[in-house]
């Protein structure tokens, strides 16, 4: 498992920062996803709110998913 999700709708970052995060993920051999699925290993978000965040908190431990900040 080597994928990440960019919850850009919730990140509230400039487009250039979002592109930089996406490129860094690809450079490190990861993948990005727009949807939260069982294959996602990390959810990148700015705050403790939103549907994806709530799902990650509910099922993340069982699936081995981490919730991280963009500067991670």
């Amino acid at each position: 498992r080597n994928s990440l999700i960019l919850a850009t709708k919730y990140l509230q970052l400039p487009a250039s920062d979002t592109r930089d995060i996406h490129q860094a993920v690809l450079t490190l051999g990861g993948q990005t996803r727009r949807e939260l699925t069982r294959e996602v290993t990390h959810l990148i978000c700015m705050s403790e709110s939103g549907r994806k965040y709530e799902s990650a908190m509910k099922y993340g431990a069982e699936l081995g998913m981490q919730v991280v900040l963009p500067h991670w």
Side-chain angles (χ1 to χ4, degrees):
R1 286 178 45 178
N2 192 16
S3 60
L4 297 171
I5 185 169
L6 289 181
T8 55
K9 183 172 162 183
Y10 303 107
L11 284 179
Q12 300 175 351
L13 291 173
S16 61
D17 289 352
T18 301
R19 281 191 301 270
D20 289 347
I21 291 170
H22 176 79
Q23 188 57 49
V25 168
L26 296 178
T27 298
L28 294 171
Q31 302 172 24
T32 59
R33 300 274 191 268
R34 290 202 180 271
E35 296 300 320
L36 190 61
T37 66
R38 292 182 174 274
E39 289 76 35
V40 170
T41 59
H42 297 78
L43 171 66
I44 302 172
C45 57
M46 289 291 288
S47 66
E48 298 174 348
S49 64
R51 183 182 55 81
K52 292 176 184 178
Y53 174 82
E54 296 297 329
S55 293
M57 296 311 305
K58 185 172 183 178
Y59 303 108
E62 175 184 330
L63 299 173
M65 184 186 307
Q66 301 293 314
V67 177
V68 298
L69 296 171
H71 66 270
W72 168 80

